[in-house]
Amino acid sequence: MKIVEYELRRIHLPLVRPFRTSFGSQSDREVLIVKVTTEDAVIGWAECVAMSSPLYSPEYISGCLETMREFLIPALNRATDVSARTVSELLKPYLGAQMAKAALETAILDAELKIAGISLATYLGANKSKVPCGVSVGIAPSIEALVDEVTSYVEAGYKRIKLKIEPGWDIEPVRKIRALFPDKPLQVDANQAYSRSDSKHLKQLDEFNLLLIEQPLDEHDILGHAQLARIMTTPVCLDESIISLSSAQDALELEATSVINIKPGRVGGYLESVKIHNYCLERSIPVWCGGMLETGIGRAANLALAALPGFTLPGDTSASSRFFKQDITTPFEMVDGYLDVPNGVGIGVVPDMEFLNSITRSVEIISNK
Ligand code: NPG
């Protein structure tokens, strides 16, 4: 396949409410949308999940744009034939850049699957037509505000609640929510906010029957996570530390994690995600699909992945309305706590161009003619 044009578009979407994590608060989402056009004028779409600033990952939108423009797209353009399966090998000389690489691979995959006439879900190996929805709840201004927010999600039908935690916002909010919803699947996410010396403090979370504690320590502290996992009964789940299949294999072997959050952007794409999924499935390690406040473009592709058999825990696959008043695609609406997996060709959705243009801040075209 030949790609004749890459379009890199920055858009800005307001969030329905501010989203606060241990690394910062955001009230809007800037997104980099990638569009590829093949020589036969087939279009593929993808979303780069990097944030505006390097707070969650070293990658950030301006950096991804530069990496794509200066290195990744020229490398793809030098190849005579490009297919999604060859993208990671072609881009291997350029280190890191998982989010940028994932977006390019996914856009190419979307175009390729449109040509082949199959859906991403089928291609990846999905065995479900709908997936249960979890919701990620930010750090709230007060326990009362948290209770209100969580209650609204429980009433809306969410099957699992994830509470963001940080030092000073952990045991008490979790105690309160657990007391109100004794049977609700509940988990916490620290986004690296603790250190090894907090292990006794974190162990107090064991009394709340949590599904898991996500990324309590620094992303590089695999040993610390293994030590913590030994003393806690709550399963430790890694997110930021898992950037590839091999990092997942190492963390599992070292018993630093017993559950894995798979985020396609963080690991370099959907194909690498399937490899991690397959490795975990063979070993009965549960996995779930993380979220990065995706628009409908990224959400559609995540739903396809979350429909694979090893995704046995609800993911951060929430309805479009969790974050956005208006999505750039037909919104994903939750029915009885589930979202349908798109079954159209490719990722199964396309943006509403009028709305997309209205929220576009810049467009850059890189052609290969
Ligand atoms: O549902 O899309 C969603 C958000 C889920 O909490 C969520 N994502 O650490 O997993 C995370 C967190 C995140 C959000 C990370 C934005 C980075 C950026």
Side-chain angles (χ1 to χ4, degrees):
M1 196 167 77
K2 184 170 180 202
I3 305 297
V4 293
E5 188 179 284
Y6 291 84
E7 180 190 280
L8 308 175
R9 179 190 290 255
R10 281 174 102 128
I11 63 170
H12 236 95
L13 270 172
L15 298 182
V16 289
R17 48 154 53 104
F19 186 57
R20 185 169 154 221
T21 63
S22 62
F23 58 81
S25 179
Q26 59 185 121
S27 46
D28 52 17
R29 176 67 162 120
E30 192 187 6
V31 190
L32 173 56
I33 300 287
V34 176
K35 175 186 165 198
V36 298
T37 308
T38 72
E39 56 194 332
D40 300 320
V42 176
I43 286 172
W45 293 97
E47 166 168 357
C48 176
V49 297
M51 317 294 292
S52 304
S53 314
L55 296 172
Y56 164 84
S57 141
E59 293 189 80
Y60 60 102
I61 291 181
S62 299
C64 288
L65 263 168
E66 169 124 356
T67 308
M68 289 182 189
R69 179 199 314 119
E70 301 296 324
F71 305 106
L72 306 183
I73 295 175
L76 296 176
N77 286 346
R78 282 194 297 274
T80 40
D81 190 40
V82 168
S83 72
R85 295 248 162 226
T86 59
V87 168
S88 69
E89 204 51 40
L90 289 169
L91 302 183
K92 208 170 178 174
Y94 302 103
L95 304 178
Q98 282 88 344
M99 294 177 180
K101 291 174 179 176
L104 293 170
E105 181 188 273
T106 309
I108 291 169
L109 185 56
D110 183 36
E112 208 169 289
L113 296 178
K114 279 178 179 154
I115 295 167
I118 61 168
S119 69
L120 179 63
T122 302
Y123 178 77
L124 297 180
N127 69 346
K128 304 180 219 39
S129 58
K130 58 182 188 169
V131 298
C133 300
V135 62
S136 175
V137 187
I139 294 165
S142 64
I143 299 259
E144 297 70 48
L146 179 73
V147 167
D148 287 350
E149 190 177 347
V150 172
T151 304
S152 73
Y153 295 136
V154 170
E155 285 172 356
Y158 281 101
K159 301 266 181 208
R160 174 284 260 157
I161 304 291
K162 156 166 143 179
L163 301 181
K164 291 288 189 181
I165 58 167
E166 67 179 4
W169 181 265
D170 44 29
I171 313 300
E172 290 321 312
V174 175
R175 185 189 306 285
K176 182 74 186 181
I177 298 302
R178 179 42 94 212
L180 281 175
F181 304 105
D183 303 319
K184 197 77 187 167
L186 185 65
Q187 64 192 55
V188 293
D189 183 4
N191 289 111
Q192 317 183 54
Y194 296 87
S195 54
R196 289 187 191 181
S197 58
D198 293 314
S199 57
K200 269 205 190 110
H201 178 74
L202 290 171
K203 186 158 172 54
Q204 296 176 75
L205 292 167
D206 281 345
E207 72 175 280
F208 304 119
N209 185 27
L210 301 177
L211 283 173
L212 55 91
I213 175 170
E214 191 180 350
Q215 198 72 42
L217 310 178
D218 185 89
E219 60 181 335
H220 303 293
D221 193 5
I222 302 301
L223 176 61
H225 282 104
Q227 290 168 339
L228 185 66
R230 271 204 292 276
I231 68 151
M232 288 188 79
T233 54
T234 306
V236 171
C237 168
L238 291 180
D239 171 10
E240 286 93 321
S241 302
I242 307 298
I243 53 165
S244 60
L245 171 63
S246 71
S247 60
Q249 289 168 327
D250 290 355
L252 286 167
E253 185 75 23
L254 295 167
E255 298 183 6
T257 190
S258 53
V259 186
I260 290 188
N261 167 343
I262 302 184
K263 280 184 187 158
R266 203 193 58 232
V267 302
Y270 289 86
L271 304 181
E272 187 77 2
S273 299
V274 171
K275 289 184 193 163
I276 299 174
H277 161 271
N278 293 350
Y279 181 86
C280 290
L281 184 60
E282 278 165 24
R283 288 158 186 80
S284 303
I285 305 291
V287 302
W288 56 281
C289 183
M292 296 280 290
L293 287 76
E294 284 91 348
T295 71
I297 297 280
R299 205 162 288 275
N302 283 351
L303 287 167
L305 181 70
L308 267 65
F311 285 79
T312 52
L313 293 170
D316 285 338
T317 39
S318 40
S320 298
S321 60
R322 158 67 186 93
F323 291 111
F324 309 115
K325 187 158 172 267
Q326 184 172 354
D327 205 336
I328 63 172
T329 61
T330 305
F332 284 96
E333 283 165 8
M334 188 167 67
V335 179
D336 296 332
Y338 287 83
L339 282 182
D340 283 339
V341 177
N343 56 13
V345 292
I347 62 170
V349 295
V350 287
D352 166 348
M353 287 314 296
E354 198 178 315
F355 182 54
L356 190 67
N357 287 332
S358 74
I359 55 168
T360 295
R361 296 282 170 95
S362 69
V363 183
E364 189 174 330
I365 307 266
I366 301 174
S367 66
N368 177 34
K369 284 190 181 142

